[in-house]
Amino acid sequence: MRKLGISLVVVLAALLLPTQAQAVTGWHVVGSDNARPLDESQGLATVTRGGSTQYRYTGIGTIPSDLLVRGWNHVGDPGTSQGWYVEPYQRDDRGGKLYRVQSPSGTWSNYTHALESWEANNNSFAAVSPDAHWLVTGEWGTMDRLLVLPMPGVAATDPSKNLPYAAAIRLDHQVRDVQGCDFVNATQLLCSSDDPDGSLFGTTKPLLQVDLSAPVGSSDVTGHVTSLGQLPLQSGCSGSFEVEGIDYYEPDGTLRVVVMSPGVCVGIDSKTYRFQR
């Protein structure tokens, strides 16, 4: 009877434990912070200027009211490089994509990109190249490309003009529901995927590594895609997690990924996970 009681306790404890993710190859979790659903649920970026560092998050609650009333009702994962900061916005129609850009001096500008005929209107993320001359952005769904635009404020300097399509990263493996990407160096990106299916890489919600054939620019480059495994899925609730944005901070080698919890736990134990190699 005593052994049965111990066995029941072990079984119950196992059932009550949060869902554990498989290890992410090459990275280990060093900590986490609670992620608020209203203003920390879409993405994040580490902005460094003049020796100071600031962590910025995006969510429905961070959309400026003037953009919201003009139809820009979704903000994605922001990007940064050399003091420049970019937030990507989308709308429900095919009215283009908007990039809200802050210069290193703190000045804000809005740049609009008119959709190509073949381009999805989803605007999931903005990743700024290390030289701050190019902007990589992505579309929702199952894709074999990432899009490259001239960096607004640097390579394109007139907000009244269309921010044009420049090139693509042609992926050698399809990806699904990429929520964010960030540059590790000039020829490598890390991307967070909210893939709920798992058929592309053998796991849902993977961390993806994209190795480029050359730095991004005005001509297409290829990208070799590798899944590094499933991101952490841990919550007191069961159900569908949502993997969101990603940030890599080169000075200390810290990778951050936002994962929102299922159901009512979205406001209780959603997390920004911190990884290091």
Side-chain angles (χ1 to χ4, degrees):
M1 187 67 181
R2 185 177 178 183
K3 289 183 179 179
L4 178 60
I6 293 173
S7 297
L8 286 173
V9 170
V10 171
V11 170
L12 288 172
L15 290 173
L16 291 173
L17 283 174
T19 302
Q20 298 293 319
Q22 300 171 2
V24 176
T25 302
W27 297 88
H28 63 280
V29 176
V30 295
S32 64
D33 304 293
N34 287 337
R36 298 187 298 261
L38 285 180
D39 60 353
E40 296 181 346
S41 61
Q42 292 300 317
L44 70 165
T46 307
V47 183
T48 301
R49 293 175 181 156
S52 65
T53 299
Q54 183 181 48
Y55 301 107
R56 297 194 184 181
Y57 288 80
T58 55
I60 184 64
T62 70
I63 300 176
S65 58
D66 63 315
L67 296 186
L68 196 58
V69 298
R70 288 162 49 199
W72 303 105
N73 57 7
H74 181 275
V75 61
D77 181 38
T80 183
S81 181
Q82 298 193 24
W84 289 88
Y85 171 76
V86 185
E87 294 175 349
Y89 290 83
Q90 71 183 56
R91 50 194 301 135
D92 294 335
D93 55 22
R94 290 189 59 80
K97 298 174 180 178
L98 184 141
Y99 296 90
R100 182 173 179 250
V101 181
Q102 188 182 43
S103 72
S105 66
T107 303
W108 289 96
S109 301
N110 295 329
Y111 288 77
T112 304
H113 164 70
L115 300 178
E116 300 290 328
S117 60
W118 43 262
E119 184 180 351
N121 71 314
N122 311 97
N123 201 15
S124 298
F125 66 88
V128 186
S129 63
D131 64 3
H133 277 76
W134 301 98
L135 183 70
V136 174
T137 186
E139 304 154 285
W140 189 252
T142 303
M143 294 289 168
D144 58 6
R145 66 184 181 233
L146 302 176
L147 309 182
V148 181
L149 312 177
M151 175 61 190
V154 179
T157 57
D158 188 347
S160 68
K161 295 182 179 179
N162 176 54
L163 184 65
Y165 166 78
I169 299 172
R170 301 294 177 183
L171 304 176
D172 67 355
H173 193 296
Q174 287 186 323
V175 297
R176 183 178 292 122
D177 297 351
V178 172
Q179 293 275 45
C181 288
D182 204 1
F183 281 90
V184 175
N185 56 51
T187 57
Q188 187 179 88
L189 291 156
L190 288 173
C191 301
S192 52
S193 167
D194 190 47
D195 183 0
D197 179 73
S199 60
L200 292 179
F201 297 99
T203 184
T204 61
K205 320 291 183 178
L207 175 66
L208 304 177
Q209 180 175 304
V210 181
D211 293 295
L212 307 179
S213 59
V216 294
S218 58
S219 300
D220 288 4
V221 298
T222 59
H224 174 61
V225 184
T226 305
S227 172
L228 301 182
Q230 189 182 64
L231 288 158
L233 307 177
Q234 301 178 6
S235 174
C237 295
S238 60
S240 298
F241 291 80
E242 187 166 6
V243 168
E244 296 288 355
I246 191 171
D247 175 69
Y248 177 73
Y249 185 53
E250 190 273 335
D252 66 7
T254 300
L255 174 69
R256 291 175 171 83
V257 183
V258 179
V259 180
M260 303 306 290
S261 295
V264 297
C265 285
V266 69
I268 301 171
D269 60 14
S270 296
K271 293 180 177 66
T272 298
Y273 288 96
R274 300 192 306 274
F275 300 82
Q276 289 201 328
R277 294 189 189 275

